[in-house]
Amino acid sequence: MSSCPCGSGKELDVCCKPYISGSAKAPTAEALMRSRYTAYTLVEVDYIVKTHDSKTRDEISKEETKNWAENSQWMGLDIVRVVDGQDKDSTGIVEFKAYYKQNGIKYTHHEEAQFTKKRGDWFFTDSKIVNKPVVRDGEKVGRNDPCPCGSGKKYKKCCG
């Protein structure tokens, strides 16, 4: 028995595997999100496609999805925020961060995923990438200040 990649702390066989195998339905949008992440770690592309809303399912490239899943070392999932998406709801939002490596480089995929419940089944419908704000480490360099590169020119005539 192995722990589930989704980070729930449960064993894979009692957490996400029943949803991926089709023996159970994900009861919430978060459960579907976690099982979709686990499907990426297991390269279960058919499940990823099957749980995508039928209206946009044809936009998914199975080949690209498989390549990303296979060529990534999946390192973990953090659920940042959940809005609705419970058993009685028809829509939900799950904001999450998925951590992975490709070619030795670590990445964070930060997304706000939208889910819809149709005829008792949850489906991934849309998403938007959550951008981190740019934070300046040093002091602001004014246009007419000397360029920090040391050229002696004004910043606006050099690196600005």
Side-chain angles (χ1 to χ4, degrees):
M1 302 271 287
S2 61
S3 64
C4 193
C6 81
S8 67
K10 300 176 186 174
E11 297 296 322
L12 174 61
D13 289 340
V14 296
C15 189
C16 292
K17 192 72 170 185
Y19 309 140
I20 295 169
S21 70
S23 64
K25 293 180 181 183
T28 65
E30 181 181 350
L32 182 65
M33 175 60 242
R34 288 180 177 279
S35 66
R36 285 174 56 87
Y37 171 82
T38 299
Y40 275 99
T41 71
L42 301 174
V43 193
E44 292 282 354
V45 177
D46 289 338
Y47 179 75
I48 295 165
V49 172
K50 181 181 133 191
T51 57
H52 203 288
D53 186 41
S54 61
K55 291 180 182 176
T56 54
R57 191 175 291 155
D58 59 344
E59 296 173 10
I60 301 172
S61 167
K62 284 180 83 169
E63 185 177 317
E64 288 177 21
T65 301
K66 183 178 180 189
N67 285 338
W68 186 35
E70 285 179 332
N71 295 313
S72 298
Q73 178 185 352
W74 299 95
M75 300 166 43
L77 175 70
D78 286 334
I79 302 298
V80 176
R81 178 175 65 100
V82 177
V83 178
D84 300 328
Q86 301 304 308
D87 187 45
K88 303 269 187 219
D89 296 319
S90 60
T91 61
I93 295 172
V94 180
E95 182 181 344
F96 68 94
K97 292 180 182 180
Y99 305 97
Y100 64 100
K101 272 188 193 179
Q102 282 185 335
N103 301 319
I105 301 170
K106 291 181 181 180
Y107 295 95
T108 300
H109 180 85
H110 189 175
E111 180 179 306
E112 186 178 273
Q114 298 172 8
F115 297 87
T116 302
K117 192 174 188 181
K118 296 179 179 178
R119 296 175 297 283
D121 292 325
W122 283 103
F123 294 94
F124 168 83
T125 53
D126 200 4
S127 68
K128 66 179 181 180
I129 301 300
V130 178
N131 295 323
K132 295 191 317 190
V134 176
V135 179
R136 185 181 305 117
D137 289 338
E139 292 183 30
K140 180 179 179 183
V141 178
R143 291 175 32 87
N144 292 315
D145 291 341
C147 190
C149 77
S151 68
K153 297 179 183 177
K154 290 184 177 182
Y155 179 65
K156 68 181 177 184
K157 296 282 187 180
C158 190
C159 295

